[in-house]
Amino acid sequence: MKLLYFAWLRTKTGITQEEVAPPEHVRDVASLVEWLRTRGPQFADAFANAAVIRVAVNQEYARPDHPLRAGDEVALFPPVTGG
Amino acid sequence: MAIRVQREDFDVGAELAALTEGNHGIGGVTSFVGLVREMGGGPSAMTLEHYPGMTERQLAGIEDEARRRWPLQAVLIIHRYGRLEPGDRIVLVATASAHREAAFESCHFLIDWLKTRAPFWKLEENSEGSRWVEAKEDDDAAAARWVLRTAPEGGSS
């Protein structure tokens, strides 16, 4: 699974993108965010407030219960501020 | 091409002329140009980050939605990324229709959606450092208005 981080999620985690193999129990967006939070202090800080995390799976916005598969491209970012 | 995500500046006059050229069904064009404005007294700049691939896909989806809602002859969305300074152009949205109402409303709709759905993030710089701009609740409210106004399916009213 490919993870992409944008804006302050990238700044806080220090990661632009990475390949991960999450544990078996990570089956949807919500459980992925829960798992990411356990990966170290910078992740705990970046993902402290799940309500401000937006997630896209394969470049489409995804809700917390959206299922995940091994080959997915998952992007994690704060609410957008373009225009 | 109706959607462009680019680092380079754009020429508003030339873009609008090209949009309407040869299409005599167009009765009116509405355009919106977003600019970098000076923040908190003093020179500042910003860097716009985006998500290549998803950005174009989301913009194309937003354009399709606008074309479903209004009878549009032409649509143009140009959004820049990278480092921009006060006075620089950020975004151009233009919509053309036989009638002005469709052009005005669809342009407004597209800008409201861009603010809340298109994957762009602003990093502001000033003399003290840089910070990510937080999303505003009133932007969400502006975008939500379009959902309320046009939600006939399954509604009881």
Side-chain angles (χ1 to χ4, degrees):
Chain A
M1 184 179 296
K2 184 178 179 182
L3 302 186
L4 305 174
Y5 301 84
F6 291 94
W8 56 254
L9 278 169
R10 175 172 51 73
T11 319
K12 286 189 176 186
T13 59
I15 294 168
T16 302
Q17 62 178 68
E18 62 175 339
E19 282 289 336
V20 295
E24 187 80 358
H25 70 269
V26 172
R27 294 201 176 140
D28 59 18
V29 164
S31 53
L32 176 70
V33 172
E34 282 293 320
W35 173 66
L36 287 171
R37 202 180 280 157
T38 66
R39 293 173 77 210
Q42 76 274 33
F43 282 92
D45 177 40
F47 291 94
N49 182 4
V52 297
I53 307 295
R54 299 290 179 269
V55 180
V57 177
N58 300 323
Q59 305 189 348
E60 294 290 347
Y61 284 99
R63 304 173 76 86
D65 63 355
H66 191 285
L68 294 176
R69 291 178 189 82
D72 284 342
E73 175 178 300
V74 181
L76 302 132
F77 47 81
V80 307
T81 53
Chain B
M1 198 165 126
I3 288 167
R4 278 155 40 204
V5 181
Q6 62 188 43
R7 193 178 279 279
E8 306 77 47
D9 193 14
F10 47 82
D11 178 331
V12 177
E15 295 293 348
L16 296 185
L19 191 70
T20 56
E21 177 148 18
N23 186 341
H24 297 166
I26 293 174
V29 181
T30 298
S31 64
F32 173 88
V33 181
L35 304 172
V36 180
R37 73 173 185 275
E38 217 161 72
M39 302 289 284
S44 57
M46 69 163 63
T47 299
L48 266 165
E49 177 174 336
H50 75 304
Y51 178 0
M54 181 175 173
T55 304
E56 290 83 352
R57 181 192 286 236
Q58 291 295 315
L59 292 182
I62 289 166
E63 183 197 342
D64 284 348
E65 180 65 28
R67 286 181 180 276
R68 270 195 295 275
R69 292 180 182 216
W70 290 278
L72 299 177
Q73 300 274 338
V75 177
L76 175 66
I77 303 172
I78 303 176
H79 205 302
R80 295 177 70 190
Y81 63 90
R83 190 169 184 280
L84 301 169
E85 297 188 340
D88 284 350
R89 285 173 280 270
I90 304 174
V91 62
L92 169 65
V93 174
T95 53
S97 179
H99 304 290
R100 68 182 182 280
E101 283 300 315
F104 271 123
E105 287 185 9
S106 58
C107 188
H108 198 172
F109 164 83
L110 286 170
I111 281 292
D112 284 348
W113 272 81
L114 273 172
K115 291 291 248 185
T116 53
R117 300 287 290 179
F120 288 96
W121 301 273
K122 288 173 179 162
L123 179 68
E124 279 178 0
E125 302 166 24
N126 61 29
S127 52
E128 279 156 30
S130 57
R131 64 174 193 92
W132 290 100
V133 176
E134 281 184 41
K136 294 196 196 81
E137 281 179 25
D138 49 347
D139 286 340
D140 280 337
R145 197 173 38 161
W146 297 102
V147 179
L148 295 173
R149 193 185 285 185
T150 53
E153 288 123 276
S156 55
S157 55

